[in-house]
Amino acid sequence: MSTNENATSPAARHRFKNKGEDSTEMRRCQREGNVELRKAKKDDQRLKRRNISSFPDDATSPLQENRNNQGTVNWSVEDTVKGINNNNLESQLQATQAARKLLSREKQSPIGNIIRAGLIPKFVSYLGRTDCSPIQFESAQALTDIASGTSEQTEAVVDGGAVPAFISLLASPCAHISEQAVWALGNVAGDGSVFRDLVIKYGAGDPLLALLAVPDMSSLACGYLRNLTWTLSNLCRNKNPAPPLDAVEQILPTLVRLLHHDDPEVLADSCWAISHLTDGPNERTEMVVKTGVVPQLVKLLGATELPIVTPALRAIGNIVTGTDEQTQVVIDAGALAVFPSLLMNPKANPQREAAWTMSNITAGRQDQLQQAVNGGLVPFLTVVLSKADFETQREAVWAVTNSTSGGTVEQVLYLVRGIIESLMNLSAAEDTNIILAVLDALSNVLQAAEKPGETEKLSVVIEACGGLDKTEALQNHGNESGYKASLKLIEKPSVEEEEDPNAVPETTSEGRTFQVQDGTPGPFNF
């Protein structure tokens, strides 16, 4: 916080710090206010994955002895039941492969019929057939596809005892079987916090991490490494409750290593894992920050691949909803230098997430707001306010409102340049929350202008962009809160009633001059 006495006095804090709320509380409100944004993004990463074959006779098994077996192409569920109930191992293998092919259909996969036929216990029992690796693999694939279905279908796999069996297969000498076990556990863990914790409780963490405990992760097959990373990410996913703290501590060092890999999918899923772990209480976010991973996340904000940028930005955005100290770590890592390109991104999603992240940075300390100003971000927010899609504009409004709530008088008045007209245009939106945020920002600006004696000039600017008419029109708004806020703004006492003659800033040939926080004087003109 600035050492300026006026800015930090109790009265000034109440006036300029979001009606008395500190920056942590402002961020908390922002987090709650962005539930819709979070929900809209929740499917950016796949929760579950299914083996899909476009052609029923195109086996995905690497086992040559069964790849060209055309006898299972047209099998029905009833045929597979008969084959599996046969005591002959070869018949059981053929029937299991047929079931796997049925389940790998892109459309009309008969998962429900397979479950009702009672085949899950049979498949689970085949996972333990170390004397026949082909049937282990085929049954593992079949169970993986069943677990990729609905929660009820995943539950059927869990109830069949598959989780401990898959954990045992992680140590299989056959890499393709071990990888299939990784995939299956990822599907189970991705279903939700209950099954995620069950996978952790059964002890999947140690053997999964052991598979990654190699000097050079690039020595692992690319597909294998991707599956391992994705499954670890699912072990970090979901809240209410969040993953056990001991599991998080166990996984974090490996995630940090994965974030330095060069494969795009590995990087993307590693970033998603970090974003999950930072989407919660500040104490959990601190566990991530302490690993020193923030600079790498900031570096990944500049990646050319959007699937990497999206989760990296989400993670950074989550971190800055935390404490001022956590936000400063992000700023110190150079994040602000990346935000101009993010705010101008041609894709709506990263632009929106960037504006949301900025809204939480501007809810921080005054020196942090000044760093955003010094970084030249205000003009980019102005462009977003005037030209972006509505959802992104909404996030930008919060960035401005938070700035006017917590900034110094000088910072608030600096923000006026170029922003008032865009704000007033958004006051015509149908969204009540946006209207209230705009009115709150405008009220904050007018309050800040009172002390330097700029209210009259500001009023001229507001009137010139139709602000008075738009504000008066809000009195007819159907929402009571919008009506009251607009009425309060219109009825504000005039500058002549409250102006402090001792607070008039120095007048120069360039206009009124205010002292910005870095000590460099800058002219301010309406």
Side-chain angles (χ1 to χ4, degrees), residues 436-498:
L436 294 176
V438 169
L439 292 174
D440 193 24
L442 194 57
S443 176
N444 292 337
V445 171
L446 287 170
Q447 287 179 350
E450 290 172 5
K451 188 172 182 180
E454 296 287 346
T455 306
E456 185 176 349
K457 289 185 178 181
L458 181 58
S459 298
V460 171
V461 174
I462 293 173
E463 189 171 354
C465 65
L468 183 59
D469 292 338
K470 292 172 182 175
T471 305
E472 289 178 340
L474 289 175
Q475 293 182 81
N476 298 320
H477 193 271
N479 182 272
E480 182 71 13
S481 299
Y483 165 75
K484 290 181 178 179
S486 61
L487 182 63
K488 181 179 179 181
L489 191 62
I490 291 173
E491 293 179 345
K492 279 182 63 64
S494 65
V495 62
E496 286 81 5
E497 297 177 36
E498 294 189 347

Side-chain angles (χ1 to χ4, degrees), residues 409-417 445 448-449 452 454 514 524:
V409 170
E410 293 83 1
Q411 290 169 338
V412 172
L413 292 178
Y414 171 79
L415 288 166
V416 172
R417 287 189 277 190
V445 171
E454 296 287 346
F514 302 106
F524 174 80

Side-chain angles (χ1 to χ4, degrees), residues 260-475:
H260 288 81
H261 200 270
D262 57 4
D263 180 73
E265 287 191 29
V266 169
L267 288 172
D269 283 329
S270 299
C271 287
W272 278 119
I274 296 296
S275 77
H276 301 324
L277 295 178
T278 52
D279 187 13
N282 295 344
E283 295 75 17
R284 286 179 174 265
T285 298
E286 187 63 21
M287 293 174 64
V288 174
V289 172
K290 281 184 176 180
T291 66
V293 76
V294 171
Q296 181 64 10
L297 288 172
V298 170
K299 179 181 178 181
L300 293 175
L301 290 178
T304 56
E305 300 91 345
L306 187 59
I308 297 174
V309 174
T310 299
L313 181 54
R314 179 76 58 82
I316 291 295
N318 287 341
I319 292 171
V320 299
T321 65
T323 64
D324 289 337
E325 291 72 23
Q326 290 164 350
T327 298
Q328 192 60 46
V329 172
V330 170
I331 294 174
D332 290 344
L336 295 178
V338 190
F339 272 86
S341 61
L342 292 172
L343 289 169
M344 295 296 100
N345 194 293
K347 299 289 186 180
N349 286 349
Q351 191 181 60
R352 190 177 308 140
E353 291 266 359
W356 170 70
T357 302
M358 282 303 305
S359 73
N360 283 303
I361 292 176
T362 59
R365 300 189 309 248
Q366 291 170 355
D367 63 297
Q368 292 171 340
L369 174 57
Q370 189 62 41
Q371 287 178 279
V373 170
N374 293 343
L377 295 179
V378 174
F380 294 98
L381 280 176
T382 303
V383 174
V384 170
L385 280 171
S386 59
K387 296 183 178 181
D389 66 69
F390 179 72
E391 295 298 326
T392 305
Q393 286 178 322
R394 181 168 64 178
E395 300 304 326
V397 167
W398 277 111
V400 174
T401 301
N402 287 345
S403 300
T404 62
S405 296
T408 64
V409 170
E410 293 83 1
Q411 290 169 338
V412 172
L413 292 178
Y414 171 79
L415 288 166
V416 172
R417 287 189 277 190
I419 286 183
I420 284 291
E421 183 173 0
S422 298
L423 278 179
M424 294 312 307
N425 289 337
L426 286 171
S427 69
E430 296 294 327
D431 190 309
T432 301
N433 289 329
I434 286 294
I435 293 172
L436 294 176
V438 169
L439 292 174
D440 193 24
L442 194 57
S443 176
N444 292 337
V445 171
L446 287 170
Q447 287 179 350
E450 290 172 5
K451 188 172 182 180
E454 296 287 346
T455 306
E456 185 176 349
K457 289 185 178 181
L458 181 58
S459 298
V460 171
V461 174
I462 293 173
E463 189 171 354
C465 65
L468 183 59
D469 292 338
K470 292 172 182 175
T471 305
E472 289 178 340
L474 289 175
Q475 293 182 81

Side-chain angles (χ1 to χ4, degrees), residues 55-61 65-77 79-80 83-84 90-105 138:
F55 305 98
D57 60 343
D58 180 19
T60 56
S61 169
E65 63 268 27
N66 291 302
R67 172 163 290 189
N68 298 317
N69 188 341
Q70 300 298 311
T72 63
V73 172
N74 297 314
W75 281 39
S76 65
V77 174
D79 293 330
T80 64
I84 286 173
E90 185 61 33
S91 296
Q92 292 173 340
L93 172 58
Q94 190 178 32
T96 303
Q97 186 181 66
R100 186 264 302 160
K101 289 181 179 180
L102 287 171
L103 291 164
S104 67
R105 289 177 180 171
E138 296 289 353

